[in-house]
Amino acid sequence: MAFLLGGIASALASVATTPLDTLKVRLQTAPPGTSVMTVASQASLGELYSGLDAAVLRSLTYASARFAVYDRAVTVLSVYSSSTLLVRILSSVIGGAVGGAFGAPADLVNIRMQSQQGIYANAFDGLIRIGAEEGIAAYFTGIEITIIRAVLMTLGQLVTYDLAKEAILSFGLLQDGFGLHFAASIVGGVVATTLCAPADVVKSRIMAQSKDKPAYTGTWDAFSKIYQKEGLSAFFNGWWLAFARLAPQTILVFVILEQLKVGYAQLPQLLADPVLLRQLYSLEFLWTIALAGILFLC
């Protein structure tokens, strides 16, 4: 069930955050010195939603796999180690690697649709054409950096969220509920954005580069050339956009996921008692919907 719930939560969050993600990708793949305002002024709202179907497909593959494998790995590894932190770090490596590999094809289509307007009619058209025109191996373009980023994302997002939530509870700062999930998500968003920034820039450039005249031969070639030509700061190009996208996305994912977990655990009772269903979702669910609406309008 973790596989299904994690994917649904992430897919719902993607609907609100896709415009920011598109801006981030276009900024990361733009010529050095290009400003956020320049990128934003060149795209309509419709263009910023380029690849929404690919983003949802990516969530249902990449995010689903990493949530499910991470949760399962934590359960299995806890039997062999009493160190909670070590177990979660190892679980994030396993979950991130599996999720990154499983979601690589959808991730590739997503990046291309966001960086090159109209390149594919939809996500499935992209998957079919890549396989037919470039071969099966093309689905895993940039697989090294994709897995590295997925591991860092899982470490920064899931592990940090769990640790932050436990710390806040242990110090008695907040009770379990929307406020706790919101605060822990913000911490997770900051850490994940910072950890993933260099890998995110490299991944975007490798996946968006021309197939005929590629600028980079691989992950480490991309790291080297970007550093030599543009300096260290290039790896954090679009950090604020990445955070503006990842923070609300993290909040929505975990708030929705927490509610889905509660609802699933109480499903038999909920089906038998509609009053309990209304009480359960009366406050936190409405806050979640309101937050998603605000993000969408902004």
Side-chain angles (χ1 to χ4, degrees):
M1 183 50 65
F3 185 95
L4 179 62
L5 298 184
I8 292 174
S10 186
L12 291 174
S14 295
V15 175
T17 59
T18 289
L20 289 171
D21 196 31
T22 302
L23 277 178
K24 179 205 70 174
V25 170
R26 292 189 178 185
L27 182 63
Q28 290 174 336
T29 57
T34 304
S35 69
V36 176
M37 295 305 297
T38 299
V39 174
S41 66
Q42 295 173 348
S44 65
L45 180 60
E47 290 174 337
L48 292 179
Y49 267 101
S50 297
L52 174 60
D53 53 339
V56 171
L57 180 61
R58 175 180 178 272
S59 294
L60 294 174
T61 52
Y62 156 72
S64 293
R66 74 186 181 101
F67 270 98
V69 174
Y70 172 80
D71 285 347
R72 182 59 181 166
V74 168
T75 301
V76 172
L77 293 177
S78 294
V79 176
Y80 301 98
S81 175
S82 59
S83 173
T84 303
L85 180 58
L86 178 60
V87 165
R88 286 175 175 165
I89 290 174
L90 291 176
S91 298
S92 70
V93 172
I94 298 170
V98 173
F102 191 58
D107 199 8
L108 176 64
V109 174
N110 185 39
I111 292 292
R112 288 187 178 180
M113 290 182 71
Q114 289 177 326
S115 62
Q116 304 170 53
Q117 178 71 24
I119 186 173
Y120 304 124
N122 53 58
F124 292 103
D125 175 58
L127 289 173
I128 293 170
R129 285 179 53 190
I130 289 172
E133 298 171 7
E134 303 173 47
I136 300 299
Y139 287 131
F140 300 96
T141 299
I143 188 64
E144 289 180 335
I145 195 62
T146 299
I147 289 177
I148 290 171
R149 182 190 179 277
V151 169
L152 293 173
M153 177 63 73
T154 308
L155 179 62
Q157 200 176 46
L158 273 65
V159 175
T160 303
Y161 175 81
D162 285 344
L163 294 175
K165 189 169 71 169
E166 291 174 3
I168 293 170
L169 282 172
S170 66
F171 284 106
L173 300 176
L174 292 169
Q175 298 298 314
D176 194 7
F178 179 82
L180 173 65
H181 304 156
F182 186 94
S185 296
I186 288 290
V187 177
V190 171
V191 174
T193 302
T194 305
L195 281 178
C196 291
D200 204 26
V201 170
V202 172
K203 181 174 76 74
S204 293
R205 295 201 184 183
I206 288 177
M207 289 186 169
Q209 68 181 342
S210 170
K211 300 185 291 293
D212 300 322
K213 296 181 179 179
Y216 313 109
T217 58
T219 297
W220 307 115
D221 180 56
F223 269 112
S224 176
K225 286 181 177 177
I226 292 172
Y227 177 73
Q228 290 175 5
K229 294 180 180 180
E230 303 172 46
L232 186 62
S233 61
F235 292 113
F236 295 91
N237 191 20
W239 188 94
W240 284 107
L241 273 178
F243 176 71
R245 174 254 177 189
L246 191 58
Q249 197 259 1
T250 303
I251 293 167
L252 289 172
V253 165
F254 284 115
V255 170
I256 293 172
L257 182 59
E258 294 282 1
Q259 286 297 286
L260 289 174
K261 285 181 176 179
V262 171
Y264 177 73
Q266 299 187 14
L267 186 59
Q269 297 166 282
L270 293 175
L271 293 176
D273 188 355
V275 176
L276 180 61
L277 177 63
R278 289 195 296 271
Q279 291 175 343
L280 176 66
Y281 288 100
S282 60
L283 180 59
E284 185 160 354
F285 186 71
L286 290 177
W287 269 110
T288 305
I289 297 301
L291 179 60
I294 291 170
L295 291 169
F296 179 79
L297 292 175
C298 292

